[in-house]
Amino acid sequence: MSTADAAEFPPLERDLKSAEATEAFAARVATALMPGDRVLLLGDLGAGKTTFVRGLVRGLRSDRADEVASPTFALHHRYPGGRMVVDHCDLYRLKPGVDLSAEGLDDVVDDRSNVVCVEWPERLGARLLGAAFEIELIGVGETRRLARVRPITSDAARRLAEAAP
Ligand SMILES: Nc1ncnc2c1ncn2[C@@H]1O[C@H](COP(=O)(O)OP(=O)(O)OP(=O)(O)O)[C@@H](O)[C@H]1O
Ligand SMILES: [Mg+2]
């Protein structure tokens, strides 16, 4: 899907004043997720991408949410136990042009019953995973963040509107 197509769906934006607020917002967004969704997380180091994923996992009702931490050195963590399994990848340390299958993550990519959250998806090229949502976090100071949730498909846009009006 081209960027022009994506521009059809207006992003949902929230001004979030604490890490707790980011998690709570993400938990709400999680109710829009469906099996097979790929979620790309954009933003600088420390912007709150992992914090957002923790909120998604919590919102999917997994009791493993407290374990969600940056998998920078592990590349991948899996959080089962909720409405869907969440596979959380952090590609920061990889070179641009990386292929997840070549990194031994073909099970993650091929599984269409999970949700895959990818930090630093720039390493893949923006939409290689056929993403349903792009989530951008922008630091506005010590504890304030702007979150921008952009649905990529019409189905994702409809689900997001129902979950977080
Ligand atoms: N409103 C906020 N939303 C999210 N995180 C916040 C907020 N305010 C403060 N923080 C803090 O900012 C840090 C964000 O760290 P986090 O690991 O989520 O960022 P990240 O984008 O995943 O970074 P990296 O690119 O290094 O993986 C945490 O320590 C968190 O508590
Ligand atoms: Mg992180």
Side-chain angles (χ1 to χ4, degrees), residues 1-163:
M1 179 165 293
S2 73
T3 307
D5 291 331
E8 284 175 33
F9 309 115
L12 176 67
E13 295 188 344
R14 282 286 192 286
D15 184 4
L16 299 160
K17 294 191 170 55
S18 67
E20 292 72 25
T22 297
E23 268 198 48
F25 175 56
R28 186 73 188 266
V29 171
T31 64
L33 294 176
M34 293 288 286
D37 278 352
R38 275 72 184 111
V39 178
L40 307 183
L41 292 125
L42 310 175
D44 291 341
L45 284 168
K49 301 180 293 295
T50 299
T51 303
F52 199 98
V53 173
R54 191 178 306 116
L56 290 179
V57 172
R58 207 181 299 288
L60 291 172
R61 302 273 172 260
S62 170
D63 57 6
R64 307 282 294 274
D66 289 340
E67 296 170 31
V68 176
S70 191
T72 294
F73 296 105
L75 190 61
H76 165 248
H77 287 160
R78 170 166 282 194
Y79 301 105
R83 189 160 66 82
M84 280 98 69
V85 166
V86 175
D87 284 301
H88 179 200
C89 304
D90 185 325
L91 310 183
Y92 180 69
R93 70 186 172 84
L94 301 183
K95 293 196 172 68
V98 68
D99 174 355
L100 288 184
S101 296
E103 296 297 325
L105 293 177
D106 32 345
D107 284 358
V108 166
V109 175
D110 295 343
D111 184 345
R112 304 306 296 189
S113 66
N114 60 353
V115 169
V116 183
C117 295
V118 182
E119 297 189 41
W120 300 98
E122 297 89 338
R123 303 290 190 265
L124 292 172
R127 303 243 165 76
L128 269 186
L129 287 169
F133 297 98
E134 262 180 16
I135 294 161
E136 187 179 2
L137 289 147
I138 300 164
V140 193
E142 198 71 8
T143 62
R144 209 169 141 198
R145 305 288 189 273
L146 175 69
R148 189 173 284 144
V149 180
R150 191 183 299 280
I152 307 298
T153 64
S154 54
D155 183 52
R158 183 186 50 72
R159 288 189 261 129
L160 183 65
E162 282 171 11

